[in-house]
Amino acid sequence: MAASGGELTGSQYILHHLTNAKMCSTDTGLAFNKACADSGFWVWHIDTLGWSIALGILFLAIFRSAAKKADTGVPGKFQCFIEMIVEFVNDTVNSTFHGRNPVIAPLALTIFMWVLLMNIMDIIPIDWLPATAGLIGASFFGMDSHDVYMKVVPTTDLNLTFALSIGVFVLMIYYSFKVKGFGFVKELSMNPFNHWAFIPVNLVLELVTLFAKPLSLALRLFGNLYAAELIFILIAMVGLFQLPLHFIWATFHILVIPLQAFIFMMLSIVYLSMAHEKH
């Protein structure tokens, strides 16, 4: 079956949209996409890196602009909107985080806005940016447009969601040792059975629980956005009616986009709060 991707069949069209743009180092220098098929572990997903960095810069630019234009008088609509987001995140941190740490609120705001902006990329019609990338590759670099890949939703890349969750995990471990000291090791080794004979059992149970936290963060965000992206791809294959169906699904998906950003932020706050609690 021919899909809306030109000469591509349906399965090839789906695979094309689910493939990241890759860059790797080979014996002959830098290589891209198909040339990286056998390059091993060290492959860079340059579309994920590019879009996530660009959206991170966009977040900083928006909030820096709001801070510079902040007025103690009657605020404008833009300032009101930014203040609503900041107050929402601050109230969430105050009600959830039970320690004292000035880093948590800015971190929560950064997580929420960055993940939100990355998720919003899922609303853009599925063919627009990849087709533009293919056209640029064909016109200026002599490439086959089917060999040009572009995934524009960074949170549909498991590497990105794991990178975010590992960052939170590193902070959890750091603050656990900073706040609790040796007590953190005691938590892992003496719970739930408070007897030295059960230390091996306790370590297995507690370490599984500990490592499940970043795992759940990464997989929850990735799974929800990847599934939504796949539905957008399937909708794009119907041809003539793809735009009406796209906007119907996008309207529903608008509820999912901020919800997943909020859940990631909330769980990060909860896990960091647990790292600050002494037992």
Side-chain angles (χ1 to χ4, degrees):
M1 179 184 76
S4 57
E7 300 174 2
L8 297 178
T9 64
S11 59
Q12 289 173 334
Y13 177 74
I14 293 172
L15 184 61
H16 186 272
H17 276 290
L18 294 179
T19 303
N20 285 96
K22 301 180 179 69
M23 182 179 74
C24 60
S25 178
T26 64
D27 295 337
T28 57
L30 292 178
F32 297 89
N33 295 330
K34 290 184 177 180
C36 296
D38 301 320
S39 59
F41 179 77
W42 292 109
V43 176
W44 298 88
H45 287 183
I46 53 178
D47 46 6
T48 296
L49 287 169
W51 285 110
S52 61
I53 291 171
L55 293 168
I57 293 172
L58 177 62
F59 157 66
L60 294 175
I62 291 172
F63 278 73
R64 182 176 183 273
S65 175
K68 289 180 67 176
K69 295 178 181 178
D71 190 352
T72 56
V74 179
K77 293 180 180 179
F78 176 65
Q79 184 179 335
C80 282
F81 178 69
I82 297 299
E83 287 179 356
M84 285 173 59
I85 295 175
V86 173
E87 288 176 7
F88 165 72
V89 172
N90 189 57
D91 290 343
T92 302
V93 171
N94 288 336
S95 61
T96 308
F97 184 76
H98 304 299
R100 288 189 176 183
N101 191 331
V103 172
I104 302 302
L107 176 67
L109 179 63
T110 302
I111 289 174
F112 177 72
M113 286 304 305
W114 197 18
V115 173
L116 178 64
L117 289 172
M118 290 190 286
N119 290 353
I120 286 175
M121 296 297 291
D122 211 11
I123 298 298
I124 300 172
I126 196 73
D127 284 321
W128 287 8
L129 293 175
T132 302
L135 182 62
I136 293 172
S139 301
F140 296 98
F141 301 99
M143 302 172 65
D144 184 341
S145 61
H146 294 157
D147 292 335
V148 178
Y149 302 102
M150 175 68 72
K151 281 184 70 177
V152 301
V153 188
T155 43
T156 60
D157 187 349
L158 198 54
N159 294 283
L160 186 279
T161 59
F162 262 109
L164 292 175
S165 66
I166 289 172
V168 174
F169 181 69
V170 169
L171 289 175
M172 286 166 50
I173 300 301
Y174 170 74
Y175 285 117
S176 292
F177 277 108
K178 182 178 180 180
V179 174
K180 305 172 186 179
F182 182 74
F184 178 54
V185 177
K186 186 177 179 181
E187 275 187 17
L188 297 178
S189 58
M190 300 303 289
N191 286 308
F193 306 110
N194 191 20
H195 193 281
W196 64 266
F198 288 98
I199 288 178
V201 176
N202 291 336
L203 282 174
V204 170
L205 293 175
E206 290 298 314
L207 287 175
V208 167
T209 302
L210 183 66
F211 285 105
K213 293 173 181 176
L215 190 65
S216 66
L217 274 177
L219 293 180
R220 179 182 286 104
L221 180 60
F222 165 76
N224 281 279
L225 271 296
Y226 189 87
E229 181 77 353
L230 187 57
I231 292 175
F232 278 123
I233 294 171
L234 295 175
I235 288 173
M237 294 173 62
V238 304
L240 183 63
F241 299 102
Q242 66 172 289
L243 279 180
L245 290 175
H246 173 93
F247 288 117
I248 291 171
W249 174 242
T251 301
F252 169 77
H253 195 48
I254 285 173
L255 301 175
V256 177
I257 286 172
L259 178 62
Q260 291 306 316
F262 173 76
I263 291 173
F264 196 99
M265 176 194 72
M266 177 62 78
L267 289 177
S268 299
I269 298 170
V270 170
Y271 294 157
L272 289 169
S273 180
M274 293 170 65
H276 284 73
E277 293 175 357
K278 291 186 177 180
H279 297 285

